[in-house]
């Protein structure tokens, strides 16, 4: 560029034919490259020119689809068929394998508010059995219910569909009749165990877990990935896990139940495994190696490793179970902290004036780096004896880099995605935005450009940037290494389900030094996010004071409800909507990024809400949110002794 100025600076610019042809070649190269970047690679012929339009056109106002009508090359196209459950709150989506083939969803869905999302992952069911017929003390029931909730949350976060079975499922099994004939002088533990297997067989097999078996490893761990595939041709158990986990097909399970019930030793053995193994015949089980990513809190392990908790369980059962739950939760959290030892990056593009905007994300990061309360603060999970215990004087690092970095698999990213109206308002510190300013002065797609500056470099258009952004949010790898929120919304309720453990709050996190008892007190808010001068100029205190007002104003104009699935309290005026739409049209990449994040979050919320409803059918909703309120029954915690 500077060279050109020198050229034009001369009294007689020497733009000879060579220069002119060079200019022409450059322009045509630019056009070809732009087309390559924006053309569909997937062979969808229809709306490709519409994509090109995203790049070259002047602002396209959403209610002027005339461009499509006069386009002579446009194939007649249809929007893709509606799918089941493809809408939640204000969001609509279309789940498709080709989600990363097009930067802009509307070129597939022909509807700019219907976003193309990745296919929803099938969650394989994992069952555990809970005998809800044995009635016990209310305090114990509640403690058990909390444990089951911890179990469900941990497996959900790893991509499973945890389901709690009860005696109702066991009684549905035709083999239940036969069991009844044997029960007379059977050990009650053996009976419960057989009921558990009957319930599992009745569900068609798959995975059967003890309710004190937890996944404690990375999302990509090979065993967890294998279990997520949900195909188990052989009846399998794992070395050192006792009856912690089984996998297998229905027919093999039925065969094992029959084998166990035919055992002549039913009067002396205490569990199905013992009945099968009694005579040391050929075992029907394949035994796999000790899994590194599963933690089993069996009675024997609690006795040896967590003696302090075991003592409490013996003396005051309900209190003991509560402590056990706290111990397990702290281990789940600790495992997460150990996996992300490089700390947390709360990304802060356009860093000058977005301090206030990223504060909720930053507060979440502080909660995640805090040491969880635990009855045995320096203990390690049973499967990770060499863990690095959480030390409150050396918490994980939290940074607020301006750009998204994907250089380390041990760095976790928390992102706050602003609507372009919000991004432009804050970045320019302008209370009022008008069309002239948008077109003449604003930086196009400022947010996504800054976010991906290191990932994509400079001089790249918005389209490839949006694709990298989508990958960071919703790919397998991205979704297990980051979480993204909308700047205009509160953090979603189901964060605990995303991480797989109850994230400490200011009231429950361990106090510095003394981690035994959480000290409830006045709300302790973390200090505001730090700002690294490397990331740009520091906002002055006066500027910082303006941020909340500007953000509130932007939220009003963007006009989405504060929580997914609720109603917005105020409505923007007609003029405000016009300006917002102009901003959207001028910042297509930022708009697509924001809508994508919104739809992805909405689909996750919907998936969990639906499952919560479905779950209420099993075991009377034990371990579910609803169940927590009413209290639950006893388990067979001490069945092994
Ligand atoms: C981040 O890195 C992982 C592993 O190196 C890679 O698979 C993934 O595609 C990268 N994601 C993005 C958005 O670049
Ligand atoms: C809200 C909604 O549309 N729910 C439906 C989701 O899909 C299941 C079947 O897969 C229906 O039963 C729900 O009614």
């Amino acid at each position: 560029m500077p060279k050109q100025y020198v050229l034009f600076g001369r009294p007689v610019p020497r733009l000879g034919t060579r220069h002119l042809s060079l200019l022409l070649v450059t322009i045509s190269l630019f056009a070809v490259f732009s087309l390559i970047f924006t053309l569909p690679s997937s062979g969808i012929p229809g709306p490709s020119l519409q994509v090109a339009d995203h790049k070259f056109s002047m602002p396209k106002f959403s209610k002027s689809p005339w461009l499509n009508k006069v386009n002579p090359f446009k194939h007649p196209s249809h929007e893709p068929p509606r799918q089941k459950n493809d809408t939640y709150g204000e969001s609509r989506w279309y789940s498709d394998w080709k989600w990363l083939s097009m930067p802009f969803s509307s070129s597939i869905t022909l509807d700019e508010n219907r976003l193309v999302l990745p296919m929803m992952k099938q969650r394989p069911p994992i069952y555990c059995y809970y005998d809800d017929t044995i009635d016990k003390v209310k305090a114990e029931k509640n403690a058990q219910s909390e444990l089951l909730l911890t179990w469900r949350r941990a497996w959900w976060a790893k991509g499973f569909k945890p389901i709690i079975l009860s005696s109702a499922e066991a009684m549905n099994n035709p083999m239940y009749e036969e069991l009844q004939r044997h029960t007379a002088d059977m050990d009650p533990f053996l009976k419960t165990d057989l009921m558990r297997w009957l319930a599992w067989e009745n569900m068609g097999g798959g995975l059967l877990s003890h309710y004190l078996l937890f996944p404690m490893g990375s999302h990509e761990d090979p065993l967890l990935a294998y279990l997520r595939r949900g195909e188990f041709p052989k009846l399998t158990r794992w070395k050192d896990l006792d009856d912690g986990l089984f996998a297998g097909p229905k027919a093999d399970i039925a065969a094992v139940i029959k084998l166990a019930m035919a055992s002549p030793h039913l009067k002396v053995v205490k569990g199905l495994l013992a009945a099968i193994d009694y005579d040391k015949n050929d075992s029907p089980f394949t035994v796999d190696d000790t899994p590194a990513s599963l933690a089993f809190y069996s009675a024997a392990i609690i006795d040896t490793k967590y003696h302090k908790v075991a003592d409490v369980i013996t003396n005051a059962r309900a209190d003991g179970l509560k402590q056990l739950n706290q111990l397990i939760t702290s281990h789940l959290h600790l495992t997460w902290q150990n996996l992300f030892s490089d700390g947390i990056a709360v990304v802060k593009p356009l860093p000058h004036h977005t301090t206030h905007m990223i504060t909720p994300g930053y507060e979440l990061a502080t909660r995640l780096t805090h040491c969880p309360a635990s009855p045995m603060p320096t203990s390690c999970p049973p499967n990770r004896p060499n863990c690095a215990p959480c030390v409150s004087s050396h918490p994980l690092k939290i940074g607020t880099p301006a750009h998204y970095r994907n250089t380390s698999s041990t760095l976790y990213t928390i992102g706050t995605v602003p609507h372009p109206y919000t991004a432009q308002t804050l970045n320019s510190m302008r209370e009022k935005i008008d069309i002239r300013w948008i077109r003449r002065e604003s930086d196009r797609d400022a947010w996504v450009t800054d976010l991906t500056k290191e990932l994509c470099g400079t001089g790249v258009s918005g389209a490839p940037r949006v694709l990298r952004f989508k990958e960071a949010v919703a790919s397998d790898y991205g979704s297990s290494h980051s979480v993204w929120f909308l700047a205009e919304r509160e953090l979603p309720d189901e964060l605990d389900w995303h991480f797989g453990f109850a994230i400490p709050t200011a009231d429950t996190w361990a106090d510095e030094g003394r981690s035994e008892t959480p000290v409830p007190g006045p709300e302790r808010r973390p200090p505001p996010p730090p700002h690294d001068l490397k990331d740009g100029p520091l906002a002055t205190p006066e500027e910082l004071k303006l941020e909340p007002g500007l953000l509130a104003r932007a939220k009003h104009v963007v006009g989405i409800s504060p929580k997914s699935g609720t109603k917005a309290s105020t409505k923007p005026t007609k003029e405000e909507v016009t300006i917002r739409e102009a901003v959207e049209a001028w910042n297509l990449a930022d708009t697509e990024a924001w809508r994508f994040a919104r739809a992805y979050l909405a689909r996750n919320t919907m998936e969990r809400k639906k499952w919560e409803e479905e779950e209420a059918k099993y075991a009377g909703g034990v371990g579910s949110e609803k169940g927590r309120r009413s209290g639950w029954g006893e388990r067979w915690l001490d069945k092994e002794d």
Side-chain angles (χ1 to χ4, degrees):
M1 277 297 168
K3 270 188 187 152
Q4 272 182 354
Y5 282 120
V6 175
L7 261 178
F8 287 121
R10 299 205 170 161
V12 185
R14 285 193 218 150
L15 259 180
T17 36
R18 273 181 56 213
H19 286 121
L20 268 179
S21 46
L22 191 68
L23 196 64
L24 281 176
V25 169
T26 316
I27 289 173
S28 35
L29 270 180
F30 172 73
V32 168
F33 272 110
S34 309
L35 272 176
I36 288 172
F37 270 123
T38 48
L39 267 180
S41 53
S42 58
I44 291 201
S48 55
L49 278 158
Q50 201 195 356
V51 177
D53 155 60
H54 281 310
K55 285 213 60 217
F56 298 122
S57 75
M58 291 316 287
K60 176 173 82 70
F61 290 90
S62 51
K63 289 189 189 71
S64 58
W66 54 271
L67 261 176
N68 291 345
K69 285 190 189 130
V70 296
N71 176 359
F73 302 109
K74 201 172 165 312
H75 295 257
S77 33
H78 307 279
E79 59 181 274
R82 294 292 302 265
Q83 295 164 325
K84 262 188 203 154
N85 296 321
D86 62 354
T87 163
Y88 188 76
E90 303 105 328
S91 295
R92 272 173 296 165
W93 57 83
Y94 173 64
S95 308
D96 195 82
W97 296 108
K98 293 190 288 274
W99 67 288
L100 276 181
S101 69
M102 297 271 203
F104 297 101
S105 298
S106 59
S107 47
I108 291 178
T109 61
L110 311 186
D111 172 353
E112 58 188 29
N113 278 310
R114 189 166 168 217
L115 275 288
V116 182
L117 295 184
M119 297 301 287
M120 195 121 123
K121 291 270 155 2
Q122 286 300 319
R123 293 173 175 268
I126 181 166
Y127 301 106
C128 82
Y129 181 77
Y130 165 68
D131 192 348
D132 57 348
T133 54
I134 308 171
D135 204 28
K136 281 267 174 80
V137 190
K138 183 144 186 246
E140 286 175 22
K141 281 184 195 175
N142 290 341
Q144 292 287 10
S145 181
E146 292 293 324
L147 270 170
L148 288 165
L149 180 63
T150 304
W151 179 84
R152 292 169 74 232
R153 207 155 41 198
W155 283 102
W156 178 265
K158 293 287 185 237
F160 294 83
K161 189 191 266 191
I163 294 178
I164 295 167
L165 304 177
S166 68
S167 51
E169 282 80 34
M171 286 185 231
N172 264 343
N173 194 316
M175 282 186 279
Y176 179 68
E177 299 267 309
E178 198 186 335
L179 175 67
Q180 290 296 78
R181 269 181 261 133
H182 294 289
T183 47
D185 35 22
M186 210 182 249
D187 190 292
F189 292 125
L190 175 62
K191 187 187 168 214
T192 309
D193 205 19
L194 284 169
M195 289 290 276
R196 171 162 96 118
W197 280 71
L198 286 179
W200 184 32
E201 199 268 353
N202 184 56
M203 299 307 284
L207 289 167
L208 179 65
S209 158
H210 192 287
Y211 76 109
L212 291 176
L213 179 87
F214 296 85
M216 290 195 196
S218 80
H219 203 267
E220 295 81 35
D221 174 83
L223 175 67
L224 293 180
Y226 162 76
L227 296 179
R228 266 196 304 270
R229 277 199 290 281
E231 285 163 21
F232 311 107
K234 283 182 302 190
L235 194 57
T236 307
R237 62 196 195 87
W238 280 263
K239 192 160 167 280
D240 299 329
L241 274 197
D242 298 323
D243 63 347
L245 183 69
F246 299 99
K250 185 177 166 84
D252 288 16
I253 300 165
V256 163
I257 297 173
K258 291 213 174 91
L259 195 64
M261 287 205 287
S263 161
H265 314 292
L266 288 186
K267 284 180 192 143
V268 289
V269 294
K270 289 196 163 192
L272 178 139
L273 268 186
I276 301 279
D277 288 344
Y278 198 88
D279 290 327
K280 301 278 172 237
N281 295 329
D282 280 352
S283 172
F285 293 98
T286 308
V287 182
D288 276 0
D289 295 342
T290 312
S293 52
L294 298 177
F296 189 24
Y297 294 78
S298 65
I301 287 178
I302 298 174
D303 261 346
T304 50
K305 292 202 168 188
Y306 312 108
H307 199 74
K308 196 173 156 199
V309 174
D311 282 352
V312 188
I313 296 181
T314 320
N315 296 325
R317 204 173 150 72
D319 288 347
L321 294 180
K322 266 195 210 150
Q323 287 204 3
L324 179 62
N325 190 33
Q326 203 180 42
L327 181 78
I328 294 170
T329 304
S330 76
H331 287 170
L332 286 161
H333 189 164
L334 183 70
T335 304
W336 185 89
Q337 291 182 336
N338 281 193
L339 287 172
F340 295 103
S341 53
D342 275 354
I344 304 176
V346 184
V347 284
K348 194 186 179 197
L350 312 176
H352 199 168
H353 301 304
T354 48
T355 308
H356 188 73
M357 186 186 97
I358 63 147
T359 296
Y362 181 77
E363 289 184 359
L364 172 66
T366 7
R367 287 168 59 195
L368 284 165
T369 55
H370 249 275
C371 292
S374 162
M376 300 175 68
T378 54
S379 64
C380 282
N383 62 323
R384 306 172 74 92
N386 301 319
C387 75
C390 184
V391 185
S392 21
S393 53
H394 290 92
L396 282 184
K397 275 208 285 298
I398 307 177
T400 54
H403 318 300
Y404 171 69
R405 292 191 185 122
N406 190 25
T407 44
S408 157
S409 63
T410 54
L411 178 72
Y412 195 83
T413 299
I414 296 180
T416 310
V417 189
H419 185 278
Y421 187 91
T422 309
Q424 297 288 349
T425 302
L426 290 175
N427 198 35
S428 64
M429 299 291 278
R430 268 163 186 268
E431 181 110 4
K432 258 192 132 64
I433 289 182
D434 57 42
I435 304 234
R436 199 201 66 84
W437 180 84
I438 297 167
R439 296 180 58 160
R440 301 265 169 96
E441 285 173 57
S442 71
D443 287 333
R444 232 174 178 179
D445 295 324
W447 186 81
V448 81
T449 305
D450 206 20
L451 179 79
T452 57
K453 201 162 245 164
E454 283 187 7
L455 209 57
C456 306
T458 46
V460 175
S461 79
R465 291 183 192 278
V466 162
L467 285 180
R468 296 303 289 277
F469 168 78
K470 289 185 179 180
E471 200 188 337
V473 172
S475 67
D476 264 0
Y477 183 89
S479 60
S480 60
H481 287 78
S482 66
V483 63
W484 302 78
F485 310 115
L486 298 188
E488 296 80 9
R489 244 185 200 151
E490 295 165 20
L491 297 194
D493 291 334
E494 60 271 0
L495 280 174
D496 289 354
W497 295 82
H498 176 87
F499 288 96
F501 50 85
I503 308 168
T505 60
D507 285 342
T508 60
W509 63 45
D511 225 357
E512 318 299 294
R514 298 162 289 117
S515 323
E516 282 87 10
T517 35
V519 186
E523 211 201 329
R524 283 165 291 175
R525 283 180 86 84
H531 180 87
D532 192 334
L533 284 178
K534 277 203 311 280
D535 292 324
L538 189 66
T540 63
E542 290 73 43
E543 287 171 330
L544 277 179
K545 257 191 231 136
L546 292 178
E547 281 185 19
L550 288 171
L551 184 62
R553 159 125 195 97
K555 282 181 183 174
H556 162 75
V557 174
V558 172
I560 64 166
S561 57
K563 266 199 159 78
S564 192
T566 62
K567 283 230 151 47
S569 50
T570 60
K571 263 197 139 103
T573 64
K574 237 176 152 181
E575 290 100 71
E576 285 167 341
V577 171
T578 309
I579 297 288
R580 183 186 76 207
E581 285 178 352
V583 173
E584 288 173 355
W586 194 256
N587 298 279
L588 288 170
D590 272 7
T591 307
E592 176 82 9
W594 183 80
R595 286 188 181 140
F596 181 85
R598 179 176 70 168
Y600 183 71
L601 282 164
R603 195 178 68 175
N604 287 347
T605 304
M606 189 203 69
E607 185 192 20
R608 223 194 62 70
K609 287 244 156 79
K610 287 209 121 10
W611 168 69
E612 198 69 59
E613 284 162 23
E614 206 181 299
E615 254 300 73
K617 293 199 298 249
Y618 295 102
V622 67
S624 66
E625 308 284 1
K626 190 164 137 250
R628 290 176 83 183
R629 289 196 288 276
S630 47
W632 295 107
E634 170 57 18
R635 306 273 327 182
W636 24 275
L637 175 63
D638 34 20
K639 117 187 195 317
E640 278 133 90
D641 43 45

